[in-house]
Amino acid sequence: MTRRPVAAIAAAVLGAAGLAAALTTTASAGPPPRTDPDGGLVAAMARDFRITPDQARDRLDREAAAAVTERTLKARLGPAFAGAWLEADARELVVGVTTASQVQSVRDAGATPRLVPRTLAQLDALKARLDGNARNAPGSVPGWYVDTPTNAVVVLARDVAAGRAFAEAGGLTGDAVRVERSAEEPRPLIDVIGGNAYYFGGSRCSVGFPVEGGFVTAGHCGRAGTATTQPTGSVVASSFPGNDYAWVRTAAGNTGRPLVNRYPGTVPVRGSTEAAVGASVCRSGSTTGWRCGTIQQKNASVTYPEGTITGLTRTNACAEPGDSGGSWLTGDQAQGVTSGGSGNCTSGGTIYFQPVNEILQVYGLRLVVEGGSPTTDPTSPTTTTTNPGQTTWQPGVAYAAGSLVTYDGAGYRCLQGHTSQTGWDPPAVPALWERVG
């Protein structure tokens, strides 16, 4: 299969017929490639990737172009989209497709198509079965995730037999699931001070990203109603376990700035366009400073002693206790807040972050970005969360498990919380909806 460099993607996408009309609903298709981002970010990438500063800048340009292409193809392919990922050097964006008729669309956008048996929605639905049985996960199973490059769900286990039994209990068999031996022992990183520390109940955590009225952080850092100092405020809402996010409303006199501490200096935040699997990502925290790695998988579940967290992003960037709640960036685009993981910055490790766009959507928040115009990801739909009993299914709505809707005269119950999309109507996705009448 012919490979096309990611460096050519931006031109191919912007030149595609009909794309201008598709972009009229947003101010921009995404951030333009930045050939000279903040020097601290480039230096950290050069150190952790063992490349030159110029190579780091080139990689950031390729990743920015790939993010635009992935978003475009995800919308174009709709429910048939089977995920996308960058190869190790970030020079090739691969996009999964499930039928031969979709191959040319991917090539026309400058990416490499790969035929796979399952769509991303189908993989997410398979993983949802494991999430639904998380309470019964053995102690030797630290987590599980959707692995788009292999088109399968991966279960991590210190005891492979126990991991396989857990997968089978969720109905996952054959090549749809892979059990991998893992020595991970993840835990929330809250033990000592994090980046841009704030205090609550005698403990410390890290500010994630400023939003209008306050900031977002990890959910395990404090429950709703918890008072904070430096800055003074209180936790408005928090979700942990299940999720690991929270937002804190700060008192008057505290001004949010679109910056992340890179120890020393700062990095600007200009948006929250989601980066592809395989893209570089850098993390801020006061315990270990500014560290970089790559995005390995999305939609990962991890089990802490407190319970299972779902929907996380898995990385190989290191972190240690005290980095919890801190910021994750790809270039100048916000990606998420530190949840937890295993290992350290001496021997390496696996660290998970909670995607920031989910936090913004769930709580209806707007990110503070450089230029003074807070924004969310331009491609993220505005959503509202339903309550059980609400009716009439529609796309762009965040449905909670147990919500009841009507569709085409029939009733359905939501089996797994999700944000609906066109083509994800209840009859089309039985793993997410159960007919009740």
PDB file of all heavy atoms in Angstrom, residues 180-204:
ATOM      1  N   GLU A 180      -2.924  -8.866  27.394  1.00  0.00           N
ATOM      2  CA  GLU A 180      -1.483  -8.625  27.437  1.00  0.00           C
ATOM      3  C   GLU A 180      -0.994  -8.608  28.878  1.00  0.00           C
ATOM      4  O   GLU A 180      -1.634  -8.002  29.752  1.00  0.00           O
ATOM      5  CB  GLU A 180      -1.140  -7.283  26.778  1.00  0.00           C
ATOM      6  CG  GLU A 180      -1.348  -7.260  25.275  1.00  0.00           C
ATOM      7  CD  GLU A 180      -0.844  -5.976  24.643  1.00  0.00           C
ATOM      8  OE1 GLU A 180      -0.413  -5.070  25.403  1.00  0.00           O
ATOM      9  OE2 GLU A 180      -0.885  -5.866  23.409  1.00  0.00           O
ATOM     10  N   ARG A 181       0.124  -9.274  29.120  1.00  0.00           N
ATOM     11  CA  ARG A 181       0.701  -9.275  30.457  1.00  0.00           C
ATOM     12  C   ARG A 181       1.213  -7.873  30.795  1.00  0.00           C
ATOM     13  O   ARG A 181       1.863  -7.213  29.982  1.00  0.00           O
ATOM     14  CB  ARG A 181       1.839 -10.289  30.542  1.00  0.00           C
ATOM     15  CG  ARG A 181       2.362 -10.515  31.958  1.00  0.00           C
ATOM     16  CD  ARG A 181       3.449 -11.584  31.984  1.00  0.00           C
ATOM     17  NE  ARG A 181       2.930 -12.869  31.519  1.00  0.00           N
ATOM     18  CZ  ARG A 181       2.251 -13.713  32.284  1.00  0.00           C
ATOM     19  NH1 ARG A 181       1.984 -13.393  33.541  1.00  0.00           N
ATOM     20  NH2 ARG A 181       1.828 -14.865  31.788  1.00  0.00           N
ATOM     21  N   SER A 182       0.913  -7.412  32.002  1.00  0.00           N
ATOM     22  CA  SER A 182       1.308  -6.074  32.417  1.00  0.00           C
ATOM     23  C   SER A 182       1.636  -6.075  33.900  1.00  0.00           C
ATOM     24  O   SER A 182       0.955  -6.723  34.699  1.00  0.00           O
ATOM     25  CB  SER A 182       0.182  -5.071  32.136  1.00  0.00           C
ATOM     26  OG  SER A 182       0.472  -3.811  32.719  1.00  0.00           O
ATOM     27  N   ALA A 183       2.670  -5.323  34.264  1.00  0.00           N
ATOM     28  CA  ALA A 183       3.055  -5.180  35.668  1.00  0.00           C
ATOM     29  C   ALA A 183       2.553  -3.864  36.256  1.00  0.00           C
ATOM     30  O   ALA A 183       2.921  -3.491  37.373  1.00  0.00           O
ATOM     31  CB  ALA A 183       4.578  -5.259  35.803  1.00  0.00           C
ATOM     32  N   GLU A 184       1.687  -3.154  35.534  1.00  0.00           N
ATOM     33  CA  GLU A 184       1.204  -1.857  36.003  1.00  0.00           C
ATOM     34  C   GLU A 184       0.427  -1.980  37.312  1.00  0.00           C
ATOM     35  O   GLU A 184      -0.341  -2.917  37.512  1.00  0.00           O
ATOM     36  CB  GLU A 184       0.288  -1.224  34.958  1.00  0.00           C
ATOM     37  CG  GLU A 184       0.985  -0.831  33.678  1.00  0.00           C
ATOM     38  CD  GLU A 184       0.036  -0.189  32.691  1.00  0.00           C
ATOM     39  OE1 GLU A 184      -0.928   0.479  33.131  1.00  0.00           O
ATOM     40  OE2 GLU A 184       0.234  -0.358  31.475  1.00  0.00           O
ATOM     41  N   GLU A 185       0.645  -1.008  38.193  1.00  0.00           N
ATOM     42  CA  GLU A 185      -0.131  -0.869  39.422  1.00  0.00           C
ATOM     43  C   GLU A 185      -0.511   0.602  39.554  1.00  0.00           C
ATOM     44  O   GLU A 185       0.041   1.351  40.354  1.00  0.00           O
ATOM     45  CB  GLU A 185       0.675  -1.344  40.635  1.00  0.00           C
ATOM     46  CG  GLU A 185       0.987  -2.843  40.614  1.00  0.00           C
ATOM     47  CD  GLU A 185       1.680  -3.320  41.868  1.00  0.00           C
ATOM     48  OE1 GLU A 185       1.791  -2.524  42.830  1.00  0.00           O
ATOM     49  OE2 GLU A 185       2.106  -4.489  41.891  1.00  0.00           O
ATOM     50  N   PRO A 186      -1.477   1.071  38.744  1.00  0.00           N
ATOM     51  CA  PRO A 186      -1.810   2.499  38.699  1.00  0.00           C
ATOM     52  C   PRO A 186      -2.453   2.996  39.989  1.00  0.00           C
ATOM     53  O   PRO A 186      -3.142   2.265  40.683  1.00  0.00           O
ATOM     54  CB  PRO A 186      -2.780   2.591  37.518  1.00  0.00           C
ATOM     55  CG  PRO A 186      -3.370   1.225  37.408  1.00  0.00           C
ATOM     56  CD  PRO A 186      -2.296   0.280  37.824  1.00  0.00           C
ATOM     57  N   ARG A 187      -2.219   4.260  40.287  1.00  0.00           N
ATOM     58  CA  ARG A 187      -2.857   4.918  41.425  1.00  0.00           C
ATOM     59  C   ARG A 187      -2.946   6.404  41.120  1.00  0.00           C
ATOM     60  O   ARG A 187      -2.167   6.924  40.303  1.00  0.00           O
ATOM     61  CB  ARG A 187      -2.100   4.681  42.732  1.00  0.00           C
ATOM     62  CG  ARG A 187      -0.836   5.532  42.938  1.00  0.00           C
ATOM     63  CD  ARG A 187       0.337   4.995  42.168  1.00  0.00           C
ATOM     64  NE  ARG A 187       1.574   5.682  42.527  1.00  0.00           N
ATOM     65  CZ  ARG A 187       2.656   5.674  41.761  1.00  0.00           C
ATOM     66  NH1 ARG A 187       2.661   5.039  40.600  1.00  0.00           N
ATOM     67  NH2 ARG A 187       3.750   6.303  42.159  1.00  0.00           N
ATOM     68  N   PRO A 188      -3.883   7.125  41.714  1.00  0.00           N
ATOM     69  CA  PRO A 188      -3.970   8.569  41.482  1.00  0.00           C
ATOM     70  C   PRO A 188      -2.713   9.259  42.000  1.00  0.00           C
ATOM     71  O   PRO A 188      -2.155   8.870  43.020  1.00  0.00           O
ATOM     72  CB  PRO A 188      -5.204   8.999  42.309  1.00  0.00           C
ATOM     73  CG  PRO A 188      -5.976   7.745  42.529  1.00  0.00           C
ATOM     74  CD  PRO A 188      -4.954   6.645  42.596  1.00  0.00           C
ATOM     75  N   LEU A 189      -2.262  10.278  41.274  1.00  0.00           N
ATOM     76  CA  LEU A 189      -1.023  10.959  41.647  1.00  0.00           C
ATOM     77  C   LEU A 189      -1.342  12.210  42.463  1.00  0.00           C
ATOM     78  O   LEU A 189      -1.352  13.319  41.955  1.00  0.00           O
ATOM     79  CB  LEU A 189      -0.226  11.322  40.390  1.00  0.00           C
ATOM     80  CG  LEU A 189       0.124  10.145  39.487  1.00  0.00           C
ATOM     81  CD1 LEU A 189       0.832  10.632  38.235  1.00  0.00           C
ATOM     82  CD2 LEU A 189       0.963   9.114  40.228  1.00  0.00           C
ATOM     83  N   ILE A 190      -1.646  12.014  43.732  1.00  0.00           N
ATOM     84  CA  ILE A 190      -2.087  13.108  44.584  1.00  0.00           C
ATOM     85  C   ILE A 190      -1.236  13.251  45.834  1.00  0.00           C
ATOM     86  O   ILE A 190      -1.495  14.076  46.690  1.00  0.00           O
ATOM     87  CB  ILE A 190      -3.568  12.877  44.965  1.00  0.00           C
ATOM     88  CG1 ILE A 190      -4.203  14.132  45.545  1.00  0.00           C
ATOM     89  CG2 ILE A 190      -3.697  11.722  45.940  1.00  0.00           C
ATOM     90  CD1 ILE A 190      -5.679  14.005  45.781  1.00  0.00           C
ATOM     91  N   ASP A 191      -0.195  12.474  45.990  1.00  0.00           N
ATOM     92  CA  ASP A 191       0.533  12.364  47.248  1.00  0.00           C
ATOM     93  C   ASP A 191       1.246  13.653  47.650  1.00  0.00           C
ATOM     94  O   ASP A 191       1.286  13.986  48.826  1.00  0.00           O
ATOM     95  CB  ASP A 191       1.550  11.220  47.173  1.00  0.00           C
ATOM     96  CG  ASP A 191       0.870   9.879  46.965  1.00  0.00           C
ATOM     97  OD1 ASP A 191      -0.327   9.787  47.254  1.00  0.00           O
ATOM     98  OD2 ASP A 191       1.546   8.943  46.511  1.00  0.00           O
ATOM     99  N   VAL A 192       1.856  14.359  46.716  1.00  0.00           N
ATOM    100  CA  VAL A 192       2.604  15.572  47.054  1.00  0.00           C
ATOM    101  C   VAL A 192       2.210  16.676  46.086  1.00  0.00           C
ATOM    102  O   VAL A 192       1.380  16.485  45.204  1.00  0.00           O
ATOM    103  CB  VAL A 192       4.128  15.324  47.016  1.00  0.00           C
ATOM    104  CG1 VAL A 192       4.529  14.306  48.059  1.00  0.00           C
ATOM    105  CG2 VAL A 192       4.560  14.856  45.634  1.00  0.00           C
ATOM    106  N   ILE A 193       2.856  17.854  46.213  1.00  0.00           N
ATOM    107  CA  ILE A 193       2.481  19.021  45.424  1.00  0.00           C
ATOM    108  C   ILE A 193       2.607  18.755  43.931  1.00  0.00           C
ATOM    109  O   ILE A 193       3.559  18.140  43.464  1.00  0.00           O
ATOM    110  CB  ILE A 193       3.329  20.234  45.829  1.00  0.00           C
ATOM    111  CG1 ILE A 193       2.839  21.496  45.126  1.00  0.00           C
ATOM    112  CG2 ILE A 193       4.807  19.996  45.565  1.00  0.00           C
ATOM    113  CD1 ILE A 193       3.497  22.766  45.620  1.00  0.00           C
ATOM    114  N   GLY A 194       1.639  19.254  43.148  1.00  0.00           N
ATOM    115  CA  GLY A 194       1.677  19.153  41.697  1.00  0.00           C
ATOM    116  C   GLY A 194       2.010  20.481  41.066  1.00  0.00           C
ATOM    117  O   GLY A 194       2.329  21.452  41.739  1.00  0.00           O
ATOM    118  N   GLY A 195       1.929  20.558  39.761  1.00  0.00           N
ATOM    119  CA  GLY A 195       2.225  21.799  39.055  1.00  0.00           C
ATOM    120  C   GLY A 195       1.183  22.867  39.351  1.00  0.00           C
ATOM    121  O   GLY A 195      -0.001  22.580  39.432  1.00  0.00           O
ATOM    122  N   ASN A 196       1.613  24.103  39.572  1.00  0.00           N
ATOM    123  CA  ASN A 196       0.725  25.206  39.916  1.00  0.00           C
ATOM    124  C   ASN A 196      -0.225  24.761  41.019  1.00  0.00           C
ATOM    125  O   ASN A 196      -1.432  24.667  40.831  1.00  0.00           O
ATOM    126  CB  ASN A 196      -0.058  25.690  38.703  1.00  0.00           C
ATOM    127  CG  ASN A 196       0.811  26.398  37.679  1.00  0.00           C
ATOM    128  OD1 ASN A 196       1.897  26.867  37.986  1.00  0.00           O
ATOM    129  ND2 ASN A 196       0.347  26.442  36.454  1.00  0.00           N
ATOM    130  N   ALA A 197       0.350  24.437  42.162  1.00  0.00           N
ATOM    131  CA  ALA A 197      -0.392  23.783  43.235  1.00  0.00           C
ATOM    132  C   ALA A 197      -1.578  24.609  43.714  1.00  0.00           C
ATOM    133  O   ALA A 197      -1.544  25.839  43.719  1.00  0.00           O
ATOM    134  CB  ALA A 197       0.545  23.518  44.410  1.00  0.00           C
ATOM    135  N   TYR A 198      -2.636  23.894  44.080  1.00  0.00           N
ATOM    136  CA  TYR A 198      -3.691  24.479  44.898  1.00  0.00           C
ATOM    137  C   TYR A 198      -3.919  23.519  46.054  1.00  0.00           C
ATOM    138  O   TYR A 198      -3.533  22.350  46.002  1.00  0.00           O
ATOM    139  CB  TYR A 198      -4.969  24.725  44.089  1.00  0.00           C
ATOM    140  CG  TYR A 198      -5.722  23.479  43.656  1.00  0.00           C
ATOM    141  CD1 TYR A 198      -6.773  22.978  44.424  1.00  0.00           C
ATOM    142  CD2 TYR A 198      -5.396  22.819  42.479  1.00  0.00           C
ATOM    143  CE1 TYR A 198      -7.472  21.840  44.024  1.00  0.00           C
ATOM    144  CE2 TYR A 198      -6.083  21.691  42.074  1.00  0.00           C
ATOM    145  CZ  TYR A 198      -7.121  21.212  42.855  1.00  0.00           C
ATOM    146  OH  TYR A 198      -7.814  20.085  42.461  1.00  0.00           O
ATOM    147  N   TYR A 199      -4.541  24.033  47.117  1.00  0.00           N
ATOM    148  CA  TYR A 199      -4.634  23.282  48.361  1.00  0.00           C
ATOM    149  C   TYR A 199      -6.094  23.021  48.725  1.00  0.00           C
ATOM    150  O   TYR A 199      -6.969  23.845  48.480  1.00  0.00           O
ATOM    151  CB  TYR A 199      -3.963  24.066  49.496  1.00  0.00           C
ATOM    152  CG  TYR A 199      -2.493  24.320  49.257  1.00  0.00           C
ATOM    153  CD1 TYR A 199      -2.076  25.320  48.369  1.00  0.00           C
ATOM    154  CD2 TYR A 199      -1.527  23.572  49.916  1.00  0.00           C
ATOM    155  CE1 TYR A 199      -0.733  25.553  48.149  1.00  0.00           C
ATOM    156  CE2 TYR A 199      -0.178  23.801  49.702  1.00  0.00           C
ATOM    157  CZ  TYR A 199       0.212  24.798  48.820  1.00  0.00           C
ATOM    158  OH  TYR A 199       1.547  25.037  48.585  1.00  0.00           O
ATOM    159  N   PHE A 200      -6.333  21.863  49.327  1.00  0.00           N
ATOM    160  CA  PHE A 200      -7.679  21.522  49.799  1.00  0.00           C
ATOM    161  C   PHE A 200      -7.559  20.494  50.911  1.00  0.00           C
ATOM    162  O   PHE A 200      -6.832  19.506  50.781  1.00  0.00           O
ATOM    163  CB  PHE A 200      -8.531  20.952  48.652  1.00  0.00           C
ATOM    164  CG  PHE A 200      -7.975  19.684  48.058  1.00  0.00           C
ATOM    165  CD1 PHE A 200      -8.478  18.442  48.433  1.00  0.00           C
ATOM    166  CD2 PHE A 200      -6.933  19.717  47.153  1.00  0.00           C
ATOM    167  CE1 PHE A 200      -7.961  17.277  47.908  1.00  0.00           C
ATOM    168  CE2 PHE A 200      -6.407  18.551  46.618  1.00  0.00           C
ATOM    169  CZ  PHE A 200      -6.917  17.326  46.997  1.00  0.00           C
ATOM    170  N   GLY A 201      -8.213  20.742  52.016  1.00  0.00           N
ATOM    171  CA  GLY A 201      -8.266  19.785  53.111  1.00  0.00           C
ATOM    172  C   GLY A 201      -6.924  19.283  53.576  1.00  0.00           C
ATOM    173  O   GLY A 201      -6.781  18.115  53.939  1.00  0.00           O
ATOM    174  N   GLY A 202      -5.898  20.118  53.577  1.00  0.00           N
ATOM    175  CA  GLY A 202      -4.585  19.695  54.014  1.00  0.00           C
ATOM    176  C   GLY A 202      -3.779  18.985  52.944  1.00  0.00           C
ATOM    177  O   GLY A 202      -2.651  18.563  53.201  1.00  0.00           O
ATOM    178  N   SER A 203      -4.319  18.819  51.753  1.00  0.00           N
ATOM    179  CA  SER A 203      -3.614  18.167  50.648  1.00  0.00           C
ATOM    180  C   SER A 203      -3.383  19.163  49.523  1.00  0.00           C
ATOM    181  O   SER A 203      -3.899  20.279  49.537  1.00  0.00           O
ATOM    182  CB  SER A 203      -4.418  16.967  50.139  1.00  0.00           C
ATOM    183  OG  SER A 203      -4.603  16.016  51.162  1.00  0.00           O
ATOM    184  N   ARG A 204      -2.609  18.728  48.536  1.00  0.00           N
ATOM    185  CA  ARG A 204      -2.302  19.584  47.401  1.00  0.00           C
ATOM    186  C   ARG A 204      -2.570  18.840  46.099  1.00  0.00           C
ATOM    187  O   ARG A 204      -2.425  17.622  46.042  1.00  0.00           O
ATOM    188  CB  ARG A 204      -0.837  20.013  47.420  1.00  0.00           C
ATOM    189  CG  ARG A 204      -0.361  20.641  48.706  1.00  0.00           C
ATOM    190  CD  ARG A 204       1.092  21.027  48.601  1.00  0.00           C
ATOM    191  NE  ARG A 204       1.653  21.376  49.896  1.00  0.00           N
ATOM    192  CZ  ARG A 204       2.883  21.840  50.063  1.00  0.00           C
ATOM    193  NH1 ARG A 204       3.673  21.998  49.019  1.00  0.00           N
ATOM    194  NH2 ARG A 204       3.320  22.142  51.259  1.00  0.00           N
TER     195      ARG A 204
END
